[in-house]
Amino acid sequence: RGGAHKRKHRIVDFKRKSSSIVARVATIEYDPNRNARLALLHYDNGVKKYILAPRSLKIGMEVCAGKDAPIEIGNALPLASIPLGSTVHNVELTLGKGGQLARAAECYATLGQVGNVDAINVCLGKAGRSRWLGKRPKVRGVVKNPIDHPHGGGEGRSPIGRSKPVTPWGKPALGIKTRQAKKASSKYILRGRTK
């Protein structure tokens, strides 16, 4: 929403296509663009790449990718080669597209849970820290004037004055389905949620 601190972009390797080349974890670094930490890998052929750091990955550990990679934290394998019930992340949806989500057998996934699991428990502590992240204040529609929002106006603490809440532009805000009918992942939905 604007006003955030400047960030530098880190190019993360979501595809893990350096198959069968062993890489050593050189550092685990902070990334301002995501909650997760990044692990810098030094491959045996001299290439350096970032990956999402799994939960128990430590500096000095070795990781690799490929069909014959061992079942260890940080290794990327085809879904068919991963034991049932394993915790995975960075999962492909389309073969060769890189980590998204997955259903196909030849798609890759990385073993282990993404690290920095306590990110959800962080208390920002003050309004200024939210502003550093680019989050601007949110003003409720009901406290605005009627010219600014459909919920606005009235004397004192007044209700919305409509049967259902709406957006600032008058469109329904709650309970209206907004999913695109021709979305690519719709073919993976067997049945919708029941209320």
Side-chain angles (χ1 to χ4, degrees):
R1 289 169 59 103
H5 197 285
K6 185 180 280 189
R7 300 171 175 182
K8 289 185 177 177
H9 185 66
R10 282 84 168 158
I11 298 171
V12 181
D13 180 19
F14 291 112
K15 295 193 174 184
R16 302 288 299 274
K17 293 304 174 193
S18 302
S19 58
S20 72
I21 302 174
V22 177
R24 185 180 55 81
V25 179
T27 59
I28 293 178
E29 301 179 10
Y30 173 79
D31 184 11
N33 302 302
R34 69 196 81 241
N35 285 340
R37 301 286 181 253
L38 296 182
L40 179 63
L41 302 184
H42 288 189
Y43 285 90
D44 287 348
N45 59 359
V47 176
K48 298 178 182 179
K49 289 185 179 179
Y50 282 117
I51 63 164
L52 296 177
R55 189 171 182 179
S56 57
L57 195 74
K58 300 283 188 286
I59 295 172
M61 290 175 69
E62 291 187 343
V63 295
C64 63
K67 294 181 179 179
D68 302 323
I71 309 296
E72 292 175 2
I73 297 293
N75 289 352
L77 299 92
L79 278 177
S81 305
I82 297 175
L84 203 63
S86 301
T87 304
V88 295
H89 67 277
N90 192 36
V91 188
E92 280 183 341
L93 183 63
T94 309
L95 179 63
K97 193 172 182 182
Q100 292 171 290
L101 224 140
R103 298 291 186 276
E106 279 298 303
C107 291
Y108 271 58
T110 308
L111 284 162
Q113 181 184 2
V114 177
N116 196 27
V117 291
D118 285 330
I120 196 171
N121 300 324
V122 171
C123 177
L124 296 181
K126 61 179 184 177
R129 193 164 164 194
S130 285
R131 297 304 300 267
W132 300 339
L133 299 175
K135 297 175 184 173
R136 297 188 68 238
K138 294 183 179 72
V139 181
R140 292 171 298 134
V142 76
V143 299
K144 293 181 179 180
N145 293 322
I147 193 69
D148 300 318
H149 200 285
H151 297 174
E155 297 292 328
R157 293 190 175 179
S158 54
I160 288 171
R162 286 169 168 248
S163 59
K164 290 182 179 176
V166 293
T167 68
W169 304 277
K171 293 186 177 180
L174 297 176
I176 301 298
K177 292 187 176 181
T178 58
R179 184 181 174 90
Q180 294 174 357
K182 295 183 178 180
K183 192 163 183 177
S185 57
S186 292
K187 60 185 177 183
Y188 297 119
I189 299 172
L190 301 177
R191 58 178 175 268
R193 289 197 185 103
T194 55
K195 288 190 176 181

